Amino acid sequence: MHEDDQMSEFQGAISPLLKKLEQNQDQQTRETKEVEMPFICLGKSGDKYVYYSRMSDSRMELKPSEHSKLSLLALASEVWWTEKLGEKWSATDAADYCFGQQGRKHYSPDKIRGVGFWKEKSAIIYNAGDRCFTIENGKIIETSNIREEGTIYQRSESLPHPETIPMSDEEGQAIVDYLNSFAWREEMGGLLLSGFLAQGITAGFIDTRAHVWINAPAGTGKTFLVSRLKDLLGNYSLSFTGGTSEAGIRQKIGSGARLVLLDEMEAANQDKHSRQKVEKIMSLVRRATDGETSIIGSKESVPIEFRARSSFLLLSIGNSLQRTADKSRFINLHIRPNKGLESLKKRDDAANKLAGISPGKLIARMMSLASVMETNANLIQKKLSAHPALAGRRAELLGNILAGAYALTRAGIISEPEIDAYTAAMNTGSLDENQETDAERCLREILESRVVGNSETVGQAILSNLHADFASERQDAKKLLDGIGISVYRPQGGCGSSQMLFISAQNKLLSNILRDTDWANCWGDVLRNHPEANWLSEKRVRNSKRKGVVIPIEAVKSLLEFDLSTESQDGDIKET
């Protein structure tokens, strides 16, 4: 064959390959440019467009009329807009570009996540503030803070980075031994607290998280315990005292999932204001258990969604857990006073063995075993559920804690004999606090929820309806309750203590309140199982007849006895 013919045949054969390569390069260029955009359009929230600015690593919300040139330059530089839209670009041109990029996307607060451990398509992401890490082929590697799934891991202060060599089994056992050196009233007190620490580190990765309340009178070593825990966790934990407000804690947590230490959480024998302050914090802790979304007011009267996904460790001298609802969320542990110099020496010896354990080594181990912990928690939960006192939520929370304790000292899937050993060793008599029934949980959820656009909870509105000083306040509360199908009344011939609470079985607003729960479409049937409930086939609410459940006010008194309002938001909430 002639040389020219050979060249022509070669070019004809390779031409489709070259064209395909050019197409791929063009696609990669377009994708690179898209990744390098100085801002990301996150969707619309109400009447505002939401953006994530790479320049400031922060979220921005702009109404259509607020897309001024100054605001647009906060999203991208003059040079970038000029390259994108031409030298004579205007604010109108740039706003139109932004609106086109937003499309019909609806903004979700979950698109931006703070520091902590997170699940991304079953993979683990650790946002350490200045960097993000994941696991690939069994190794911890650095990864982008902007994910293909559309999630953005927000930059913030630097948390401990996972070290190359994770904490060993022996070092994990040293943590357990140190915590066991305290004089716990509960047989497995040290083990449960160690498991809680492991679970607390991975709190954002799991769906349901437990909390621990430690009662430690003077002379028990509480101060040393808190100090050692802070050393182990570094600034991965957030530490507060009981004087901190709920709003302050909430702001510090932000969109993250760090472990929270709350010391000096005394509520008993204090004035009403102090007790209310503690109760507001407790309301935050309750919602963190399942990661429930709260609607928080702001000084601009714009509702803000907040979702807590932290585990809380509370410490106090006395026992401040009063509600049944709290007893089902917390593991309540008690430390006895020291038993002489020998016990103190034993504790000091155990503490010395913690010296080589850095927060980075501990976090590396938890990263490596987070998925295994989740599997083990499910296995342990199934076993614990067979115990009548531990069924339901209690088994789920204890499953997470025991799986965490196991992960500190052993890797891999827990065996059946090992689960049996945990179950046998647990003195359930000290942990089987009264468990809420499904009906009681449903009722509590209703009473502690807020109607969108109102700062009061449903429970507060009931109290206002009953006891407000002014008739106008009582009337406003009644109007609010009527709107969600709830009323307070006294049956004919009833005395002052026979007031009843009626909850309609069908109401659109009430269904909206419960939309993210298991009871969104069946709360009426569930509440019928409440031990004090009766079914009412006809009750007039707002000039219309309704059917629903009626419960004596006395039966829900424990759910109404605290003021659950949030802290005044004036100057208290900051957008991030």
Side-chain angles (χ1 to χ4, degrees), residues 473-542:
E473 293 177 346
R474 294 194 294 273
Q475 191 60 35
D476 288 344
K478 182 180 184 304
K479 184 177 179 180
L480 172 64
L481 294 172
D482 284 348
I484 57 174
I486 294 177
S487 66
V488 179
Y489 72 100
R490 184 177 294 114
Q492 289 184 352
C495 61
S497 62
S498 63
Q499 289 169 313
M500 308 296 286
L501 175 68
F502 173 79
I503 302 177
S504 174
Q506 291 181 318
N507 181 278
K508 186 177 289 188
L509 289 177
L510 190 51
S511 177
N512 190 46
I513 287 175
L514 297 171
R515 69 183 184 277
D516 295 326
T517 72
D518 296 332
W519 315 293
N521 300 307
C522 62
W523 72 87
D525 291 332
V526 172
L527 291 176
R528 291 178 78 167
N529 295 320
H530 191 284
E532 301 289 337
N534 286 300
W535 183 255
L536 204 61
S537 59
E538 184 178 298
K539 174 75 173 72
R540 186 169 291 278
V541 179
R542 243 187 195 181

Side-chain angles (χ1 to χ4, degrees), residues 129-150:
D130 61 335
R131 297 183 187 179
C132 285
F133 300 88
T134 189
I135 293 181
E136 193 172 287
N137 298 324
K139 293 184 177 180
I140 297 175
I141 62 169
E142 194 170 338
T143 188
S144 171
N145 74 312
I146 299 175
R147 309 293 297 173
E148 294 179 1
E149 295 80 0

Side-chain angles (χ1 to χ4, degrees), residues 38 60 78 299 323 341-342 563 568:
M60 291 181 61
E78 178 95 31
K299 65 179 181 180
R323 294 190 179 199
L341 293 177
E342 187 176 343
D563 178 4
S568 171

Side-chain angles (χ1 to χ4, degrees), residues 376-390:
N376 286 343
N378 291 329
L379 295 172
I380 296 170
Q381 178 189 347
K382 290 179 182 177
K383 188 65 126 180
L384 293 177
S385 295
H387 192 294
L390 298 175

Side-chain angles (χ1 to χ4, degrees), residues 34 37 39-44 49-51 64 67 72 75 80-81 84-85 91-106:
E34 184 68 24
M37 277 185 64
F39 63 92
I40 299 172
C41 301
L42 298 177
K44 200 171 182 183
Y49 291 94
V50 185
Y51 303 92
H67 284 68
L72 292 162
L75 288 176
W80 188 87
W81 284 117
K84 180 65 66 176
L85 303 175
T92 302
D93 296 333
D96 287 342
Y97 173 82
C98 290
F99 300 155
Q101 291 292 309
Q102 292 279 19
R104 296 185 178 182
K105 289 186 290 187
H106 178 72

Side-chain angles (χ1 to χ4, degrees), residues 24-51:
N24 289 340
Q25 288 175 335
D26 289 342
Q27 177 67 22
Q28 289 176 359
T29 301
R30 285 195 298 271
E31 290 177 354
T32 300
K33 287 182 178 179
E34 184 68 24
V35 168
E36 293 174 351
M37 277 185 64
F39 63 92
I40 299 172
C41 301
L42 298 177
K44 200 171 182 183
S45 175
D47 62 344
K48 293 184 177 182
Y49 291 94
V50 185
Y51 303 92

Side-chain angles (χ1 to χ4, degrees), residues 179-392:
L179 297 179
N180 275 333
S181 70
F182 288 82
W184 299 99
R185 191 180 79 183
E186 293 75 19
E187 185 178 339
M188 295 179 68
L191 185 73
L192 291 170
L193 181 56
S194 65
F196 165 79
L197 294 178
Q199 179 235 236
I201 291 172
T202 62
F205 183 79
I206 56 182
D207 296 325
T208 305
R209 49 207 64 81
H211 315 290
V212 168
W213 194 314
I214 297 177
N215 303 126
T220 56
K222 177 171 72 78
T223 302
F224 294 103
L225 172 62
V226 172
S227 177
R228 288 295 180 183
L229 294 181
K230 290 180 180 179
D231 290 342
L232 283 170
L233 297 166
N235 69 334
Y236 189 88
S237 66
L238 291 170
S239 183
F240 307 94
T241 62
T244 310
S245 71
E246 177 267 348
I249 296 171
R250 177 166 28 86
Q251 286 181 29
K252 192 67 177 175
I253 293 173
S255 56
R258 294 155 81 176
L259 194 152
V260 178
L261 305 179
L262 287 168
D263 198 2
E264 301 175 11
M265 286 293 295
E266 317 297 340
N269 302 320
Q270 292 192 4
D271 58 45
K272 181 180 178 182
H273 175 73
S274 299
R275 291 197 301 272
Q276 289 176 346
K277 202 166 189 176
V278 171
E279 178 55 26
K280 292 168 189 175
I281 295 173
M282 293 298 292
S283 181
L284 170 64
V285 177
R286 291 182 200 113
R287 295 195 173 277
T289 306
D290 300 308
E292 298 173 11
T293 300
S294 301
I295 306 297
I296 309 298
S298 68
K299 65 179 181 180
E300 295 86 7
S301 300
V302 178
I304 298 171
E305 289 191 25
F306 174 78
R307 191 176 179 189
R309 282 167 287 199
S310 293
S311 280
F312 288 75
L313 173 60
L314 289 74
L315 302 101
S316 64
I317 294 175
N319 188 348
S320 298
L321 282 178
Q322 302 297 331
R323 294 190 179 199
T324 301
D326 295 335
K327 293 175 181 177
S328 69
R329 288 173 168 82
F330 280 84
I331 304 301
N332 197 190
L333 301 177
H334 304 76
I335 307 178
R336 297 188 179 104
N338 296 318
K339 296 180 179 179
L341 293 177
E342 187 176 343
S343 63
L344 291 176
K345 185 179 184 305
K346 178 183 176 183
R347 184 185 304 164
D348 289 342
D349 291 342
N352 291 334
K353 295 179 181 178
L354 302 179
I357 306 174
S358 67
K361 293 180 76 173
L362 177 57
I363 285 171
R365 184 176 181 97
M366 293 302 101
M367 273 197 75
S368 302
L369 297 177
S371 296
V372 176
M373 280 172 59
E374 189 175 36
T375 300
N376 286 343
N378 291 329
L379 295 172
I380 296 170
Q381 178 189 347
K382 290 179 182 177
K383 188 65 126 180
L384 293 177
S385 295
H387 192 294
L390 298 175

